[in-house]
């Protein structure tokens, strides 16, 4: 136990950072009562922090009756109401704050802003954001370069087609299984029927305004358009905007075409991209040196902002999902790794530790992609030609955690609205959640927006998303772990069936 921190393996450092970050975040949790008010008095800008208030009434300067009133439990409602006001309306507000005994009052004139009071746990978030951005900027060049080299070394369109076919089949099957497990759990536990009418009403009023904006973002995805869009009109555009599937398509085409070009012309191109991809991998090593700091900041900010009350309210929903996640992770992935990949599942999970921890802290499959590629190549012995194809594809289209979450959330919301999904509806959910998870971008929170498509397919009111919004971030962290682990499990199986699963290299990422 006496290992000096500097000598500790990386995954331990990250784990330690995660635990410490959670403790720090819980200690400096944002108060549900404290508010920062900036206001103007006699043309001077002032600010005040209020904490033990009993109620706040807002007045327009020219009216005697309050335009809105909030009790001390209504911090979120108050902030949402305030955010929804027009700028002009905000400026003329007067806030009358009443304290405990009902007598002491203070008036704040010309209110300029009202915000939650940020704590140190949340203030350090930019360190985490910086870490994620460093990983994100590696992802696109890494995928491009390693996939060009990978496809050029496969050299055979039939082989690419075969690997592609197997990959897609495995991805689709595991996703459908994930949703089925989720729905079975939802049918057994029935989390929606365990939510009291009072809690559901409270959640609906608190989160409704946030949801309306999200619903407007997403209307429908067309299958045909999605397929057509895989072929980029302009690959540079695709690279610039980080559209993973068109990038994968372009890189595979370049790699395959290189095998048709005269050797003296193609060799320098391949070795350029080979060197470039090694440089990107080296960059992952450098960035991972700050991983513990990044993870600490990300977890601390998330926990610091998280209202633990909501965990209590939505406990059954969270428990249903987490049991589903664990079953999928332990049974489905272990079986794929053991029977198709002929690898000891323990070795698999151990090799993937860093990637799983980064996925959990970042909630982003895209940010985790470089680390996942590195873990798969160095710790699991999956060759670059497989990882560079299977993993970026998986980060974009294979999201078992997201799909299961969309299935369970649909069943949960339907139950809250009073009905269990019929078998036919559940089959529709399996189909639409598979498609919706394919369309989900590998960044935080998008699974929630794509959920709208699944809800619409079985006529469950989409406003119901308000019920689960408050707990989404924490569940996003868990589902992202599943998303990237599924990609790695399939990559292991594909490498084995192609007969190229090798031994781990000496310079494993954790060493
Ligand atoms: N955060 C998830 C991912 O990046 C996507 C989601 O479910 O929101 O894999």
């Amino acid at each position: 136990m006496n290992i000096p921190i500097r000598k500790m393996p990386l995954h331990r450092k990250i784990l330690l950072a995660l635990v410490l970050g959670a403790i720090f975040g819980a200690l400096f949790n944002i108060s549900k009562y404290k508010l920062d008010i900036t206001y103007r008095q006699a043309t001077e800008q002032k600010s005040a922090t209020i904490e033990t208030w009993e109620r706040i009434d807002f007045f327009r300067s020219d009216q005697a009756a309050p335009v809105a009133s909030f009790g001390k439990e209504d911090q979120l409602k108050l902030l949402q109401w305030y955010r929804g006001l027009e700028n002009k309306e905000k400026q003329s507000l007067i806030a009358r704050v009443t304290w405990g005994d009902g007598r002491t009052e203070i008036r704040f004139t010309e209110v300029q802003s009202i915000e939650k009071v940020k704590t140190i746990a949340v203030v350090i978030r930019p360190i985490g954001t910086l870490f994620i951005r460093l990983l994100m900027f590696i992802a696109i060049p890494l995928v491009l370069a390693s996939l060009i080299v990978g496809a050029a070394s496969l050299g055979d369109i039939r082989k690419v087609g075969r690997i592609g076919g197997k990959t897609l089949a495995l991805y689709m099957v595991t996703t459908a299984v994930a949703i089925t497990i989720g729905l079975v759990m939802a049918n057994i536990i029935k989390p929606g029927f365990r939510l009291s009418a009072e809690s559901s009403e409270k959640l609906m009023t608190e989160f409704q305004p946030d949801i309306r904006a999200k619903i407007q973002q997403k209307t429908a995805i067309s299958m045909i358009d999605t397929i057509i869009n895989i072929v980029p009109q302009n690959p540079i555009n695709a690279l610039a905007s980080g559209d993973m599937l068109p990038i994968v398509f372009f890189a595979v085409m370049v790699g395959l075409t290189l095998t048709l070009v005269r050797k003296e012309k193609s060799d320098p191109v391949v070795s350029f991209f080979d060197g470039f991809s090694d440089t990107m991998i080296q960059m992952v090593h450098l960035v991972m040196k700050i991983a513990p700091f990044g993870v600490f900041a990300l977890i601390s900010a998330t926990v610091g902002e998280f209202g633990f009350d909501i965990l209590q309210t939505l406990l059954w929903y969270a428990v249903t999902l987490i049991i589903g996640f664990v079953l999928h992770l332990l049974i489905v992935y272990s079986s794929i790794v053991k029977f198709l990949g002929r690898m000891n599942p323990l070795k698999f999970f151990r090799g993937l530790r860093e990637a799983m921890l980064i996925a959990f802290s970042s909630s982003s499959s895209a940010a985790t992609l470089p680390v996942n590629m590195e873990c798969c190549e160095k710790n699991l012995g999956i060759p670059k030609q497989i990882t560079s194809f299977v993993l970026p594809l998986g980060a974009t289209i294979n999201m078992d955690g997201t799909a299961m979450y969309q299935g369970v959330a649909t069943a949960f919301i339907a139950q809250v609205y009073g009905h269990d999904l019929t078998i036919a509806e559940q089959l529709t959910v399996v189909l639409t959640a598979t498609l919706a998870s394919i369309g989900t971008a590998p960044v935080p929170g998008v699974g929630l927006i794509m959920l709208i498509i699944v809800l619409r397919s079985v006529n469950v009111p989409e406003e119901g998303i308000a019920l689960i919004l408050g707990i989404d971030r924490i569940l996003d962290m868990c589902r992202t772990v599943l998303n990237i682990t599924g990609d790695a499990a399939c990559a292991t199986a594909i490498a084995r069936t192609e007969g190229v699963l090798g031994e781990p290299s000496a310079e494993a990422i954790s060493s």
Side-chain angles (χ1 to χ4, degrees):
M1 270 330 280
N2 268 334
I3 318 173
I5 295 236
R6 286 178 62 111
K7 295 231 176 88
M8 220 186 237
L10 184 61
H11 70 268
R12 287 239 185 101
K13 282 191 204 162
I14 301 179
L15 194 63
L16 186 67
L18 199 143
V19 174
L20 291 179
I23 297 174
F24 191 71
L27 284 178
F28 295 97
N29 194 250
I30 286 193
S31 154
K32 352 195 286 226
Y33 304 109
K34 266 193 197 166
L35 286 173
D36 261 343
I37 303 189
T38 337
Y39 60 104
R40 291 174 82 86
Q41 203 174 38
T43 70
E44 215 184 304
Q45 180 130 329
K46 296 185 173 173
S47 66
T49 304
I50 54 168
E51 190 173 3
T52 49
W53 52 281
E54 202 53 39
R55 50 183 292 117
I56 302 184
D57 302 295
F58 289 95
F59 297 85
R60 281 232 193 294
S61 37
D62 52 351
Q63 289 165 351
V67 277
S69 302
F70 299 92
K72 67 171 182 212
E73 296 297 331
D74 300 333
Q75 188 204 52
L76 214 58
K77 238 199 252 170
L78 183 157
L79 289 168
Q80 257 149 3
W81 171 80
Y82 183 75
R83 242 182 278 143
L85 294 178
E86 307 245 321
N87 260 347
K88 220 171 60 216
E89 289 175 306
K90 285 183 184 167
Q91 312 275 310
S92 63
L93 276 183
I94 296 174
R96 184 181 71 192
V97 182
T98 314
W99 268 268
D101 54 10
R103 261 177 272 145
T104 349
E105 321 182 328
I106 295 191
R107 278 173 182 261
F108 297 100
T109 46
E110 292 183 53
V111 176
Q112 307 289 301
S113 72
I114 306 182
E115 281 167 9
K116 287 187 189 177
V117 178
K118 290 206 175 77
T119 64
I120 174 80
V122 178
V123 170
I124 58 174
R125 185 194 291 278
I127 303 173
T129 312
L130 202 71
F131 169 61
I132 298 204
R133 290 178 78 114
L134 284 168
L135 285 176
M136 286 284 231
F137 82 44
I138 299 176
I140 303 290
L142 175 64
V143 168
L144 179 77
S146 58
L147 197 44
I148 290 178
V149 179
S153 64
L154 284 178
D156 172 354
I157 197 138
R158 263 169 310 162
K159 198 166 170 191
V160 174
R162 190 179 64 227
I163 295 179
K166 275 198 266 191
T167 310
L168 287 182
L170 256 180
Y171 282 169
M172 294 304 115
V173 172
T174 46
T175 304
V177 170
I179 307 167
T180 311
I181 293 179
L183 287 175
V184 169
M185 292 318 301
N187 283 319
I188 297 175
I189 300 181
K190 301 209 181 291
F193 293 136
R194 294 172 189 263
L195 186 74
S196 70
E198 188 194 330
S199 308
S200 100
E201 208 187 299
K202 185 159 185 280
L203 291 169
M204 287 301 273
T205 44
E206 272 175 12
F207 294 103
Q208 196 71 267
D210 282 354
I211 277 306
R212 257 181 234 131
K214 286 197 192 298
I215 290 178
Q216 273 158 12
Q217 275 177 34
K218 189 85 238 155
T219 39
I221 41 164
S222 138
M223 202 49 202
I224 308 260
D225 283 352
T226 311
I227 293 173
I228 289 180
N229 286 337
I230 293 178
V231 183
Q233 279 193 32
N234 176 348
I236 307 295
N237 252 346
L239 285 167
S241 48
D243 294 339
M244 208 58 99
L245 287 190
I247 296 173
V248 169
F249 181 82
F250 172 69
V252 170
M253 289 299 284
V254 173
L256 287 177
T257 315
L258 274 170
T259 62
L260 307 174
V261 174
R262 260 190 302 135
K263 226 174 140 5
E264 66 265 30
K265 298 256 177 188
S266 64
D267 275 356
V269 180
V270 175
S271 60
F272 166 77
F273 280 112
D274 201 15
F276 191 67
S277 117
D278 280 358
T279 313
M280 289 297 120
I281 294 280
Q282 198 54 43
M283 207 162 354
V284 178
H285 286 238
L286 289 180
V287 173
M288 286 300 279
K289 289 201 193 305
I290 64 154
F293 301 102
V295 166
F296 179 88
L298 287 170
I299 299 289
S300 137
T302 309
V303 174
E305 232 169 37
F306 189 68
F308 285 95
D309 291 3
I310 199 152
L311 190 63
Q312 242 172 10
T313 318
L314 290 172
L315 190 67
W316 284 109
Y317 165 66
V319 165
T320 310
L321 253 176
I322 287 168
I323 295 180
F325 286 158
V326 172
L327 288 180
H328 196 66
L329 203 71
L330 295 186
I331 298 178
V332 179
Y333 294 152
S334 294
S335 310
I336 292 179
V337 167
K338 188 165 169 50
F339 299 115
L340 295 178
R342 295 214 214 97
M343 183 188 281
N344 182 341
L346 268 183
K347 175 181 160 186
F348 171 79
F349 288 116
R350 207 174 293 143
L352 214 63
R353 281 180 297 206
E354 279 84 23
M356 290 168 89
L357 287 167
I358 298 298
F360 184 76
S361 335
S362 69
S363 297
S364 165
S365 302
T368 313
L369 181 60
V371 186
N372 203 10
M373 284 172 79
E374 180 66 353
C375 284
C376 284
E377 284 166 30
K378 296 287 159 40
N379 301 348
L380 305 182
I382 307 173
K384 200 189 229 174
Q385 5 155 322
I386 301 289
T387 56
S388 61
F389 178 69
V390 176
L391 295 183
L393 197 68
T396 323
I397 67 166
N398 184 43
M399 298 198 178
D400 296 354
T402 299
M404 183 190 289
Y405 149 83
Q406 287 165 339
V408 172
T410 307
F412 172 75
I413 297 172
Q415 289 169 0
V416 175
Y417 279 94
H419 78 283
D420 251 336
L421 296 175
T422 62
I423 296 290
E425 283 172 333
Q426 301 202 26
L427 288 175
T428 312
V429 169
V430 174
L431 194 75
T432 46
T434 304
L435 294 179
S437 70
I438 293 175
T440 303
V443 285
V446 182
L448 178 95
I449 297 172
M450 298 301 278
L451 170 61
I452 295 169
I453 294 163
V454 188
L455 293 176
R456 279 188 190 160
S457 73
V458 284
N459 292 322
V460 174
E462 51 211 51
E463 296 77 21
I465 297 184
L467 295 167
I468 54 169
L469 185 65
I471 202 176
D472 192 64
R473 179 65 204 218
I474 302 277
L475 295 175
D476 195 1
M477 295 159 85
C478 304
R479 64 188 190 244
T480 308
V481 173
L482 231 70
N483 290 349
I484 65 106
T485 310
D487 303 340
C490 293
T492 311
I494 286 160
R496 170 67 71 196
T497 56
E498 287 295 311
V500 289
L501 191 61
E503 281 308 305
S505 118
E507 36 163 336
I509 190 171
S510 51
S511 61

